Amino acid sequence: RTEEALLESEKRYRLLFESTREAIIIVGPDGRILSANPASAAILSYESPEELVGMSANELYLNKEQRKAIIAELLEKDYIENCEITFVKKDGTPVYVIVSSVVRRDEEGNILRLEGFIKDITERKRSEEELAKERNLLRTLIDNLPDYIFVKDTESRFIINNVAHARVLGVKAPEEVVGKTDFDYFPQELAEQYYADEQELIRSGQPLINRVESTIDQEGRKQWLLTSKVPLYDNNGSVVGL
């Protein structure tokens, strides 16, 4: 009965090993791959898992120094979780993955094998890189435009500010105004007017376009502005700022 139970357990493990979408690679104490599942071959663009067997696991890493650091941490803790790594496919192109790994040892503490569980995050990584490029482009644009540009939350607190507007507020860097309001920089009467306009915009969702209004700079000089403020929406259509 024990033998039958073990055999059944092995069958279930093999079925899971072969059918899971998560790549699984087993590495021996010498650093060579003992076994790999079909998902591993698919992620790394090998024709079959058997191609990976016998390879040095070091060949999978784009950055060999990164591998040294990861292996050192793994051998110290006997496990790592959600470690972001860049592997290379069979044709040499990079693939971004998240790896969780565990060390299996015998009763004497000798390493039997390393088990790695791998998820392909290449598409997510590329999306993040594209978003980062867009953010950098937007940041460059707003910081180099002479117009005063800012974003506020629903409480009329600054969350983004550009260089031109920071200069008017009398601060050195746009980041200094984050979390603050017009009440921190303008006379009470002006700040109350700005706040009332913005709260009505947030309540109604109606933009304020090309309004001529006055302001006072940090040296007390009066200026005239042509101001437009528009609501900022989230994915659910709710106003989350301006």
Side-chain angles (χ1 to χ4, degrees), residues 31-237:
R32 295 196 172 274
I33 297 173
L34 298 175
S35 62
N37 69 342
S40 302
I43 287 176
L44 299 170
S45 297
Y46 286 85
E47 293 181 7
S48 69
E50 287 72 27
E51 281 192 80
L52 289 162
V53 175
M55 284 177 51
S56 169
N58 192 50
E59 296 179 44
L60 302 180
Y61 286 76
L62 181 65
N63 187 330
K64 302 302 187 286
E65 293 302 316
Q66 184 185 40
R67 170 174 163 75
K68 288 181 181 178
I70 289 169
I71 291 298
E73 181 181 353
L74 178 59
L75 295 179
E76 179 184 352
K77 299 180 179 178
D78 277 355
Y79 72 93
I80 55 170
E81 289 184 298
N82 299 325
C83 186
E84 192 170 308
I85 301 171
T86 306
F87 279 172
V88 288
K89 295 183 179 183
K90 185 179 180 180
D91 62 5
T93 59
V95 55
Y96 300 101
V97 297
I98 286 180
V99 175
S100 295
S101 190
V102 63
V103 178
R104 302 296 183 189
R105 299 179 183 270
D106 61 19
E107 294 180 355
E108 284 74 38
N110 300 311
I111 296 174
L112 296 174
R113 63 188 181 277
L114 311 178
E115 299 175 0
F117 305 90
I118 304 158
K119 292 181 179 179
D120 185 355
I121 59 166
T122 302
E123 289 305 315
R124 190 190 82 186
K125 192 74 174 178
R126 286 173 179 164
S127 296
E128 289 173 353
E129 289 174 351
E130 287 301 316
L131 285 173
K133 288 179 183 177
E134 290 180 7
R135 287 194 202 98
N136 290 337
L137 175 60
L138 179 61
R139 187 77 245 182
T140 301
L141 283 172
I142 69 171
D143 278 339
N144 286 280
L145 286 171
D147 295 339
Y148 307 153
I149 301 173
F150 55 82
V151 180
K152 293 182 177 180
D153 63 15
T154 54
E155 299 299 321
S156 290
R157 294 173 297 208
F158 291 105
I159 55 177
I160 294 176
N161 200 29
N162 77 335
V163 171
H165 194 239
R167 194 177 297 120
V168 166
L169 298 180
V171 298
K172 294 181 179 179
E175 296 77 15
E176 292 183 42
V177 306
V178 173
K180 296 182 179 180
T181 71
D182 289 325
F183 290 95
D184 295 299
Y185 301 102
F186 296 107
Q188 182 77 15
E189 184 179 351
L190 267 181
E192 287 178 353
Q193 176 189 323
Y194 298 155
Y195 181 79
D197 290 343
E198 291 168 359
Q199 291 304 301
E200 174 61 20
L201 180 151
I202 290 167
R203 184 196 64 78
S204 67
Q206 295 299 313
L208 184 153
I209 304 295
N210 291 339
R211 171 178 289 183
V212 177
E213 58 186 7
S214 64
T215 189
I216 303 294
D217 66 17
Q218 291 301 302
E219 296 179 1
R221 296 173 300 191
K222 190 172 185 178
Q223 294 182 343
W224 290 96
L225 306 175
L226 187 64
T227 300
S228 292
K229 296 179 181 179
V230 297
L232 180 65
Y233 295 93
D234 64 12
N235 292 334
N236 298 318

